[in-house]
Amino acid sequence: MFLFRRGSDRVTPAQARQNTIDGDAVLLDVREQVEWNAGHVPGAVHIPLSRLVTGAALPSAAEGRPLVVICRSGHRSQQAAKLLAGRGAEAVDVKGGMTAWASAGLPVVDERGSSGRIA
């Protein structure tokens, strides 16, 4: 069972991985398409923040589930987590984003499933 601590709106990459691999949360990547194509977390769900801001619905795989939101550095994911919480979702963001994720040695793949890079 996935539980966010009260008052906690940010998680480390290791906590994000644990909660999305071992828990029931979904890792939601809010970077733009070109960034996603260059490198993303295997199994993550994608929707750019620019689409969320205009009212786009979450991808079906993320609906009704706790969300761990990630971007490149953590700025856009913080915005997205707040926006999604305002819509009633349970959402936190990854402190340091994909840059911190990759620095922690966690997996990143490109659009073809090969080793990816953070753009």
Side-chain angles (χ1 to χ4, degrees):
M1 181 173 183
F2 182 84
L3 296 172
F4 293 121
R5 294 176 303 166
R6 286 198 181 273
S8 175
D9 58 355
R10 306 200 90 187
V11 295
T12 66
Q15 290 168 322
R17 182 164 189 197
Q18 179 180 2
N19 289 322
T20 57
I21 300 293
D22 300 333
D24 64 344
V26 171
L27 187 66
L28 183 69
D29 192 320
V30 296
R31 295 174 302 144
E32 294 301 318
Q33 189 69 48
V34 67
E35 295 171 287
W36 168 267
N37 291 348
H40 58 272
V41 176
V45 175
H46 179 238
I47 185 167
L49 175 60
S50 59
R51 292 201 45 226
L52 286 174
V53 168
T54 62
L58 287 171
S60 60
E63 290 179 2
R65 295 181 60 194
L67 304 170
V68 178
V69 187
I70 197 165
C71 67
R72 185 181 59 79
S73 65
H75 180 71
R76 287 175 285 178
S77 58
Q78 266 191 303
Q79 291 179 294
K82 288 177 184 174
L83 182 147
L84 293 164
R87 292 184 187 177
E90 187 176 3
V92 297
D93 83 289
V94 180
K95 186 176 182 178
M98 287 296 298
T99 302
W101 181 278
S103 292
L106 298 172
V108 177
V109 296
D110 67 12
E111 62 185 318
R112 293 177 299 279
S114 300
S115 182
R117 63 179 178 79
I118 309 308

